[in-house]
Amino acid sequence: MYWRTALVILAFLTLAITEMRVTGQTLDVCATCHPNATCEEKVDGTGKACNCMYGFVGNGRTYCQDKNECQIGANKICGQHTACHNTYGSYYCTCLAGYSPSNNMAIFIPNDGTRCQDINECRVQGICGEGGKCTNMQGYFNCLCQVGYQVHNGAEPFHPHQDKALCKAIDCGQPPSALNAVQLSATGTRYGSVATFGCSEGFFWKSGENSSVCGAESVWKGPSLVCEEVDCGLPPALPHSVMLWDQSTRIGSEVLYQCNSGYYNVGEGNVSVCTANGQWDQTSFLCEEIDCGEPVFISHSKILWDRTSLIGSVVYYQCVEGYYPTSGKCYTECGENGLWEDIELQCEELNCGAPLTLPHTNMLWDNTTVLGSVIEYVCKDGFYQEGGCSLSTCTSSGQWGIVSIICKATCGPAPALVNTEVVLQNTSVVFHRCLEGFHSWRGRNTSVCDITGKWQAATMRCREIKPAISDLVVFNEKCLRWKADKYEEDTENYRIAFVGFRAYQRSFHDKRKKLLSSTSDHPEICLNLLPVTNYTISITALSARFTSTLTTNTSLQVPQAPEILYREIEAPFPTLWLRRSVNTLDPISFYQVFVLPLEGTLVFDCSSPKTPDFSSQRKPHGQYITAQLHLRDIGKEMNLTLGDGHYYGGFYNAPLQNGRDYYVILRAVSQWGGAFKHSCVIWAKVRDISYIMKVSSLFAGGSIGVFALGIFLGHCYTWFCKKTRQSS
Ligand SMILES: *[C@@H]1O[C@H](CO)[C@@H](O)[C@H](O)[C@H]1NC(C)=O
Ligand SMILES: *[C@@H]1O[C@H](CO)[C@@H](O)[C@H](O)[C@H]1NC(C)=O
Ligand SMILES: *[C@@H]1O[C@H](CO)[C@@H](O)[C@H](O)[C@H]1NC(C)=O
Ligand SMILES: *[C@@H]1O[C@H](CO)[C@@H](O)[C@H](O)[C@H]1NC(C)=O
Ligand SMILES: *[C@@H]1O[C@H](CO)[C@@H](O)[C@H](O)[C@H]1NC(C)=O
Ligand SMILES: *[C@@H]1O[C@H](CO)[C@@H](O)[C@H](O)[C@H]1NC(C)=O
Ligand SMILES: *[C@@H]1O[C@H](CO)[C@@H](O)[C@H](O)[C@H]1NC(C)=O
Ligand SMILES: *[C@@H]1O[C@H](CO)[C@@H](O)[C@H](O)[C@H]1NC(C)=O
Ligand SMILES: *[C@@H]1O[C@H](CO)[C@@H](O)[C@H](O)[C@H]1NC(C)=O
């Protein structure tokens, strides 16, 4: 802006000069004018003359020199706070630094009214930087540092754009340390911060300032405190005492004072401590000679005393008559503290206190409880004195004498118990006994009259005496059952002894024993009794010592068939084998051997008690017994040869006929009295070879025949068999 304005002015000047030259050429005088002059009519009208142009001085023809307008001084030509700039043929004005022209242009000429005004640079925020303080001056400004800030890289005042100086906050850094002192607090490290100090332990403040302040020079001022080590010096000596002391005069050191022998401390405390202010603290320790003075008086007592009251002196007390001491210790000694020892002894008037109240008694008494007072106890109504002493006296030991009165209630007539009678009686106890024919297992047999006057009745119950064993019966032939008479859950032990006899076997007798424990009211036991035997059985209840006896008999059982070897034989004299099972019924048992010719319909009934007709043996097709063997005569096993022509048990063992087939059946029979029991087995099939061909075509085979037979032999599975069964 400034420079453009200047150029415009120069161009204007050049143009004017060119015009003048053109004008000059047209006139002679004018033609001689200096380029920087103008040709003008003379004022007097005498022609023309060359005059130097504005801003030039000279003769107008040969010489037109630039005129320096600024020569007279900028103040005069441009005004205050200006600079004058001369140009060729002209000049212009500018404001000095720090001022601004009122026309807001860079340059001006004085006669346009422009003035140069001071610029207030301080209006620019932060022109002096952080911590700076701006001061505006005529034409310029400068900066100072605010309180708490310090100039750096220069000096104050400074100009922020020209100098490198700037303001920095004052920071004193960590507060200093002080000898024998500790820092207590600090408000910071900036200018004006305060740190306070206190003396270290064991030191005390002597003088100086306790605080330190961060100053404008960035250094802490102070602290100036002087801490001195505490030293209390020698503790003061106190009269009649010694000091127990470790010679330390430092803070916290203690000195213990002890009174000399015969003296005691009348003050409080015996220790003095070296305190922080370098002084031994005050104690009221004061030693005085020990003298306990007069002993205390205890009422209702006598004093035994030698009238000395120095340490160790003793005074004895004794209660006067009618009074008793309340504590065991009855003397006091003059102690080290100048005092008689505390004595709790008191002499109190003898008093037996409230007397004992006894149940069921009243007291006859004058209400006094002193020595010699007497109380008489009497039984209350409804009670009588059974014995004991009924008087109690207050004794010198302060206690009532022992009363032993026994008051018993009167209960009236004894309680009646069912089936009992009373055997012994006094006013408080009754004995009961069961009536004749009754007994009791448990329960108390006494009724007792209790203190409330009621009978506590006996708990025994009398029951009619019954035999310990009754209703003894046999069931299932081998088992016994009876009714036991005993006390509820009691266990009774029974011994069962039984002896078996047989009329048909003299040598036989079966004698055995068995034991049984039972809580049952209906005990049962099964015995392994042998068949066809008369038994006498006696049962003894061992604790009741009662025996019951009965006789019974056992029945006849189906005899066991012998062991045989079934065979099918083709021989005229077949030998058959059997092994009999040993049993005790041998004397009444035998085997029968039946021969059944196999012809027509074969029917054999094992249960038939009758032996077939002997004569049928001769009939063609008839069944017959060929042998009857008594078991007592047979060994363990035997061989029987059919058709050997001998007699066996009265039966003829006839030879078998040729050309016929037979079944041989063996029947075991037991028989006693009217009873008849049997079992059958097929022993053999005897075949004639010539006949086999015929039979096998007639019957579906021998095996079917055998099967059919098996049905008859007592193993009854079909209806066919039922009839035969009924008959047995
Ligand atoms: C006339 O004045 C101008 C400036 O205005 C200058 O440049 C020029 O040289 C002057 N002419 C002579 C002959 O002095
Ligand atoms: C410094 O501290 C001590 C103890 O804390 C106090 O007795 C003393 O008067 C203090 N001195 C000053 C100058 O405050
Ligand atoms: C000092 O006083 C205490 C209590 O007051 C006491 O127990 C101690 O025996 C005294 N010591 C001496 C040496 O008297
Ligand atoms: C004893 O004291 C009781 C009640 O405290 C009173 O009823 C009675 O009359 C007194 N007996 C005598 C003999 O003073
Ligand atoms: C009554 O009899 C019981 C038992 O024999 C006995 O202990 C008690 O002393 C008797 N009482 C009296 C008052 O005879
Ligand atoms: C009462 O029972 C006890 C055992 O319980 C017995 O010794 C006493 O003889 C019985 N007295 C009478 C009178 O039955
Ligand atoms: C059992 O005793 C009765 C009578 O004495 C007698 O007839 C019977 O034969 C006996 N029975 C036996 C197996 O002894
Ligand atoms: C067995 O006893 C019953 C009844 O007790 C009797 O009827 C029977 O005849 C007795 N039999 C024998 C063989 O004694
Ligand atoms: C029965 O016969 C067999 C074979 O022939 C023989 O071993 C056995 O000893 C005989 N038994 C008796 C009791 O004769």
Side-chain angles (χ1 to χ4, degrees), residues 384 386 426-429:
Y384 65 94
E386 196 184 57
N426 61 28
T427 44
S428 55
V429 178

Side-chain angles (χ1 to χ4, degrees), residues 108-119:
F108 60 93
I109 46 175
N111 53 1
D112 68 356
T114 300
R115 284 177 297 109
C116 282
Q117 297 165 320
D118 178 46
I119 301 170

Side-chain angles (χ1 to χ4, degrees), residues 415 417 430 432 443-448 455-461:
L417 289 183
V430 171
H432 300 269
R444 193 159 41 81
N445 61 7
T446 50
S447 290
V448 179
W455 286 104
Q456 294 297 311
T459 55
M460 67 191 272
R461 296 280 173 273

Side-chain angles (χ1 to χ4, degrees), residues 37-78:
T38 52
C39 190
E40 289 167 359
E41 290 281 338
K42 285 187 191 167
V43 184
D44 55 6
T46 57
K48 294 190 177 185
C50 295
N51 289 327
C52 285
M53 286 191 290
Y54 179 78
F56 291 87
V57 286
N59 53 22
R61 302 202 17 221
T62 59
Y63 179 64
C64 272
Q65 195 190 335
D66 176 47
K67 180 184 172 189
N68 186 2
E69 294 89 345
C70 293
Q71 212 171 8
I72 55 169
N75 265 4
K76 288 185 180 150
I77 192 158
C78 288

Side-chain angles (χ1 to χ4, degrees), residues 501-505 531-535 552-554 672-673:
F501 291 100
R502 285 171 171 174
Y504 57 88
Q505 193 180 10
V532 204
T533 309
N534 281 349
Y535 277 100
T552 185
N553 58 34
T554 50
W672 177 252

